[in-house]
Amino acid sequence: MTQVNLLPLLAGSIGSISVFIQAYKIYLSKLTRDISLISYLLLILSSCIWIYYGIYKKDNYLIIGSSIILIPSTFIVYYKIKNIIIKKDTFINFT
């Protein structure tokens, strides 16, 4: 294992820290009013594309590094949609 192979894991971990922090804040408060649904959907799509590319290249480090962010991002999207359904939030925030 070279240091270059660790870069996707490091990047995925560092990039995920902010998303994990946001997911934890949402878990505690149950509020998603200031969260952009479209941004997190695009983040999930981007991660899925990187995972697909990692599978294509048979690069387990890229797959794992890109997968890390899916857990908190999916959690945030779930809560955002849940809050939209129960009318605690809106799809698009204009405020």
Side-chain angles (χ1 to χ4, degrees):
M1 178 180 350
T2 66
Q3 291 178 340
V4 173
N5 287 344
L6 292 176
L7 286 177
L9 287 174
L10 181 62
S13 299
I14 291 171
S16 297
I17 289 172
S18 64
V19 182
F20 273 104
I21 292 169
Q22 188 66 57
Y24 182 69
K25 182 178 176 186
I26 290 170
Y27 173 75
L28 293 177
S29 70
K30 308 293 189 256
L31 299 175
T32 57
R33 185 186 65 205
D34 297 327
I35 301 296
S36 169
L37 177 61
I38 294 170
S39 293
Y40 279 95
L41 289 172
L42 289 173
L43 182 59
I44 290 170
L45 176 62
S46 172
S47 294
C48 289
I49 292 169
W50 279 112
I51 291 167
Y52 175 78
Y53 181 70
I55 292 168
Y56 175 75
K57 289 293 214 177
K58 297 180 179 152
D59 186 340
N60 290 333
Y61 299 105
L62 183 57
I63 295 166
I64 294 168
S66 300
S67 297
I68 293 171
I69 205 162
L70 284 178
I71 297 166
S73 299
T74 303
F75 175 82
I76 290 169
V77 167
Y78 165 77
Y79 259 94
K80 180 70 173 180
I81 292 172
K82 179 181 171 189
N83 285 344
I84 290 169
I85 290 170
I86 64 172
K87 307 269 192 256
K88 194 175 181 181
D89 203 341
T90 59
F91 178 71
I92 299 176
N93 298 324
F94 293 106
T95 58

